[in-house]
């Protein structure tokens, strides 16, 4: 997804992105491990990153997950990733949004731009009606990003996910297609 006016663009990850994705994960390991479920040591290998990208391609074909890289337009450098996962069709027509950004690029508005691009994809291209996201209450930066992107806070899911061996609460946010369309006016 490319908005020629933005400072970032997103595109589906391919096997050619394996080394860049591994580098991103290694550079940001400490940061990401503080907000993501526990990862095995093998996660930080080229083989596992390649397999993850291959799985993402397969899941895209199955309409289950859409995994994108976030690239800085000026340099074409991979600076983060963003995905729509747990896609549910039928009466739900929803998914969960996940994302991470290289700590060297945090606080510059890049993630807000990337979220706007992926919402365009979710609502305009694959026809979803709801995009959900969950954030630990202590992750204030991520909550601000979602709010700036137009998400609305809906509640608290107690002990939703295990992070570093601890069940963590998550503040739940959602964007509806109506909210998205209203934001375009």
């Amino acid at each position: 997804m490319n908005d020629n006016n933005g400072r970032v663009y997103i595109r589906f990850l391919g096997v050619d992105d394996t080394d860049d994705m591994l580098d991103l994960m290694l550079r940001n390991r400490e940061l990401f491990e503080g907000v993501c479920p526990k990862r095995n040591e093998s996660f930080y290998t080229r083989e596992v990153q390649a397999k993850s990208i291959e799985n993402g391609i397969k899941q895209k074909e199955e309409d289950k997950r859409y995994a994108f890289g976030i690239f800085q337009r000026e340099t074409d450098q991979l600076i983060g990733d963003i995905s729509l996962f747990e896609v549910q069709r039928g009466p739900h027509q929803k998914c969960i949004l996940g994302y991470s950004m290289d700590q060297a690029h945090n606080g510059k508005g890049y993630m807000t731009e990337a979220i706007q691009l992926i919402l365009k994809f979710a609502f305009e291209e694959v026809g979803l009606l709801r995009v959900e996201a969950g954030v630990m209450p202590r992750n204030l930066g991520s909550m601000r990003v979602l709010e700036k992107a137009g998400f609305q806070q809906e509640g608290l899911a107690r002990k939703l996910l295990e992070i570093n061996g601890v069940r963590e609460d998550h503040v739940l946010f959602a964007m509806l297609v109506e909210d998205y369309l209203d934001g375009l006016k």
Side-chain angles (χ1 to χ4, degrees):
M1 297 286 308
N2 212 333
D3 173 358
N4 291 328
N5 298 323
R7 298 172 298 152
V8 299
Y9 63 92
I10 63 173
R11 69 165 168 78
F12 290 114
L13 290 168
V15 290
D16 291 349
D17 297 310
T18 300
D19 290 335
D20 291 336
M21 183 55 80
L22 177 59
D23 184 50
L24 176 71
M25 292 299 144
L26 288 170
R27 277 195 326 270
N28 293 278
R29 182 174 181 164
E30 185 177 328
L31 172 69
F32 294 165
E33 286 180 350
V35 294
C36 295
K38 187 169 176 60
R39 295 170 167 158
N40 294 328
E41 195 61 35
S42 65
F43 177 82
Y44 299 98
T45 64
R46 188 179 197 291
E47 295 73 27
V48 169
Q49 291 301 313
K51 187 71 171 164
S52 177
I53 290 171
E54 289 167 10
N55 286 340
I57 293 167
K58 181 176 183 250
Q59 290 175 325
K60 176 180 86 167
E61 293 166 0
E62 296 170 347
D63 190 36
K64 292 181 179 176
R65 179 173 181 251
Y66 296 93
F68 294 86
I70 303 170
F71 296 85
Q72 190 174 31
R73 182 175 309 285
E74 187 177 307
T75 62
D76 288 322
Q77 178 189 7
L78 178 68
I79 61 171
D81 68 306
I82 189 165
S83 64
L84 304 173
F85 61 97
E86 292 187 21
V87 174
Q88 295 179 26
R89 295 299 185 169
H92 290 285
Q93 296 298 324
K94 69 174 187 168
C95 69
I96 299 174
L97 171 68
Y99 50 85
S100 61
M101 175 66 63
D102 186 327
Q103 60 191 346
H105 297 282
N106 280 343
K108 298 177 181 176
Y110 293 149
M111 187 56 74
T112 301
E113 287 185 38
I115 289 173
Q116 291 165 344
L117 292 170
I118 205 166
L119 289 173
K120 179 178 178 64
F121 174 80
F123 295 128
E124 296 183 24
E125 293 194 34
V126 293
L128 296 170
L129 302 178
R130 179 180 172 89
V131 176
E132 302 172 347
V135 180
M136 290 180 292
R138 61 184 153 85
N139 192 343
L140 299 176
S142 190
M143 287 196 293
R144 278 194 303 271
V145 164
L146 290 170
E147 289 166 349
K148 281 180 14 184
F151 279 72
Q152 300 208 8
Q153 186 174 325
E154 293 191 328
L156 181 72
R158 298 179 306 143
K159 298 185 178 185
L160 178 69
L161 193 59
E162 186 174 308
I163 308 290
N164 289 323
V166 177
R167 299 293 302 182
E168 294 274 2
D169 295 347
H170 280 67
V171 179
L172 301 179
F173 289 83
M175 167 76 76
L176 306 179
V177 67
E178 298 93 321
D179 303 330
Y180 170 77
L181 293 172
D182 285 347
L184 295 179
K185 294 178 183 175

